[in-house]
Amino acid sequence: MKLTIEQLLEKTVHAAEDKKAMDIVALDLKGISLIADYFVICHGNSDTQVQAITNEIRKTAHEAGVAVRGTEGLDSARWVLVDLGDIVVHVFHREEREFYNLEKLWSDAKVVELA
């Protein structure tokens, strides 16, 4: 059974929650950007936690039959980008999230409320 984009978004957010990601935000970029339909933004408080969050998201995607198109930044674990196609996940270290402030940069996007 193929997942809808919304089901994959939910699974992605739950994977981040399972590794205690902080301040998880999902932004709906449809009609705003051609990059992706959704951004998921979260952070961890250590390099190890950032790596654990990223690995859990990748594992969850794989188990759901979704190809991870790419992962960047995992070695330094300061800002990791996981490309799931229509969903791009940004897993930050706390300081980098505050510095780059993607939520402000993409303030035109609606925040997705997930259960």
Side-chain angles (χ1 to χ4, degrees), residues 1 3 11 56-68:
M1 179 175 101
L3 292 178
K11 284 185 174 291
E56 187 67 20
I57 289 167
R58 290 169 26 151
K59 180 180 138 208
T60 299
H62 178 72
E63 289 171 352
V66 175
V68 176

Side-chain angles (χ1 to χ4, degrees), residues 4-101:
T4 66
I5 187 71
E6 288 77 17
Q7 289 170 323
L8 179 58
L9 179 64
E10 251 184 76
K11 284 185 174 291
T12 302
V13 168
H14 290 304
E17 288 172 341
D18 285 348
K19 293 302 176 183
K20 310 292 187 229
M22 308 295 293
D23 298 326
I24 303 168
V25 176
L27 299 177
D28 183 344
L29 300 177
K30 292 185 294 250
I32 296 172
S33 173
L34 298 175
I35 296 170
D37 287 346
Y38 296 99
F39 273 178
V40 174
I41 304 167
C42 62
H43 73 268
N45 292 318
S46 69
D47 295 357
T48 304
Q49 186 183 17
V50 169
Q51 290 170 338
I53 294 164
T54 301
N55 289 333
E56 187 67 20
I57 289 167
R58 290 169 26 151
K59 180 180 138 208
T60 299
H62 178 72
E63 289 171 352
V66 175
V68 176
R69 296 183 178 186
T71 304
E72 298 291 331
L74 191 55
D75 292 340
S76 65
R78 304 303 292 178
W79 177 1
V80 181
L81 187 125
V82 182
D83 184 353
L84 302 176
D86 292 328
I87 300 171
V88 175
V89 185
H90 301 267
V91 184
F92 286 96
H93 199 285
R94 184 181 58 251
E95 292 87 14
E96 273 69 15
R97 183 173 186 179
E98 292 168 3
F99 179 79
Y100 289 105
N101 199 358

